[in-house]
Amino acid sequence: MLRIFAVFFVLLVSVLTHAAEVKPTNKMTHVFMAGDSTMSIKEVKDYPETGWGVPFSYFFDEHLVVDNRARNGRSTRTFKSEGRWQSIMDELSSDDYVFIQFGHNDQSEHKKDRYTPPKDFQANLTGFVADVRSKGAEPILLTPITRRYFNEQGVIEPTHGVYADLVRDVAREQKVTLLDMEAITREYFQAMGDDLSALRFMHIAADLHPNYPIGVSDDTHLNHLGAREVAQLVLTELKRQQHPLASRLRTPDPKHLKR
């Protein structure tokens, strides 16, 4: 009897030891999002304004978490000075990702609380890339999404100037994945024209929404529809580049596959 117990004990210890050595096969991956109001989660008082990072977070499987740290009004300078960038670095692990999309506020020279000169903007982006890589994670740079400024010829005017180009420069120099959302969204909304594209931005007449009693006409910020479509454009570009994130999508409900 003692011999049988001894054999059983040895087998049990062996099984438990082996189990302890087995590494989990479904490691949780985090996608952190660093950016401004065009990406961020909104307060209820701002609805229906929506950052594209909100619908984007629902695209992926249960082993990938999108952690949206973007905030309204932030530039690369203020995102650092407020400790928001460091908070990402404190939680970042190897094999995670960080989406980095700035420019709207960095270029606001008349807003001294957020303005970042081009040279500093470039240095901040380069530093962000180095920080992420030092953690064994992957940075992904995005140019800022377009503003909806049509000229008299019905063409959307590029409004980010050197800032969008600096994102492209840093991506090229540092060999970082670039999602050129300035060009992609400008082409997308341009094809819609003035009237249809306005339905994707914050255009609300007076007395229609309690958050905007006098109405709003905003060609920078997206509403629910615009945010969803921009998030889909981001995903489409990841697929086009055959980025590994494009293989981490949630499994669709079978009933959604029926035609």
Side-chain angles (χ1 to χ4, degrees):
M1 185 71 178
L2 289 175
R3 188 172 183 180
I4 294 174
F5 178 78
V7 171
F8 175 77
F9 180 77
V10 170
L11 289 172
L12 178 62
V13 170
S14 176
V15 169
L16 292 175
T17 301
H18 177 71
E21 292 174 349
V22 174
K23 295 181 179 179
T25 56
N26 292 321
K27 176 181 179 292
M28 191 67 73
T29 301
H30 288 79
V31 177
F32 291 93
M33 307 189 81
D36 54 40
S37 58
T38 60
M39 176 192 277
S40 70
I41 300 170
K42 307 298 178 181
E43 296 182 40
V44 173
K45 68 179 179 61
D46 297 320
Y47 287 169
E49 184 181 320
T50 307
W52 68 262
V54 175
F56 185 77
S57 67
Y58 298 109
F59 290 166
F60 299 95
D61 66 39
E62 66 273 20
H63 302 298
L64 189 147
V65 175
V66 176
D67 190 336
N68 191 342
R69 304 290 181 91
R71 289 294 182 274
N72 287 22
R74 269 54 179 193
S75 62
T76 55
R77 177 172 63 82
T78 59
F79 203 82
K80 286 178 60 180
S81 66
E82 294 175 358
R84 298 181 186 279
W85 180 254
Q86 187 58 49
S87 72
I88 293 176
M89 291 302 100
D90 291 343
E91 299 181 33
L92 191 63
S93 299
S94 60
D95 301 323
D96 285 344
Y97 300 87
V98 184
F99 278 47
I100 304 166
Q101 184 181 55
F102 290 96
H104 278 280
N105 297 299
D106 294 86
Q107 72 168 171
S108 299
E109 193 167 357
H110 61 291
K111 297 181 179 179
K112 301 302 182 184
D113 63 321
R114 63 193 67 176
Y115 173 64
T116 311
K119 184 177 180 180
D120 293 342
F121 178 68
Q122 184 173 19
N124 288 341
L125 290 179
T126 301
F128 288 167
V129 168
D131 289 346
V132 173
R133 284 176 166 168
S134 73
K135 294 282 191 172
E138 181 184 338
I140 297 175
L141 289 176
L142 301 87
T143 52
I145 67 170
T146 191
R147 294 186 178 93
R148 202 194 69 89
Y149 290 175
F150 282 86
N151 62 21
E152 293 180 357
Q153 288 72 45
V155 176
I156 295 180
E157 296 277 5
T159 61
H160 294 108
V162 68
Y163 287 83
D165 287 335
L166 286 172
V167 179
R168 298 178 183 112
D169 290 345
V170 172
R172 182 176 60 255
E173 292 164 3
Q174 302 298 320
K175 296 180 173 56
V176 176
T177 296
L178 172 70
L179 308 182
D180 196 349
M181 299 313 298
E182 194 276 336
I184 291 170
T185 54
R186 180 154 45 88
E187 179 181 356
Y188 183 73
F189 293 123
Q190 174 70 61
M192 286 184 184
D194 195 352
D195 292 341
L196 284 178
S197 63
L199 297 176
R200 275 78 179 168
F201 286 78
M202 285 295 292
H203 284 251
I204 302 174
D207 297 322
L208 290 181
H209 197 290
N211 281 347
Y212 303 92
I214 64 171
V216 62
S217 181
D218 180 347
D219 289 313
T220 296
H221 296 100
L222 304 164
N223 60 23
H224 294 312
L225 175 60
R228 178 173 62 80
E229 292 184 354
V230 169
Q232 290 168 179
L233 291 173
V234 172
L235 180 59
T236 298
E237 180 62 11
L238 288 169
K239 289 179 177 179
R240 188 190 70 80
Q241 295 191 29
Q242 298 183 325
H243 191 277
L245 279 175
S247 66
R248 301 291 303 273
L249 303 180
R250 65 171 55 254
T251 302
D253 188 320
K255 70 181 181 181
H256 295 159
L257 299 176
K258 296 178 181 179
R259 294 181 181 274

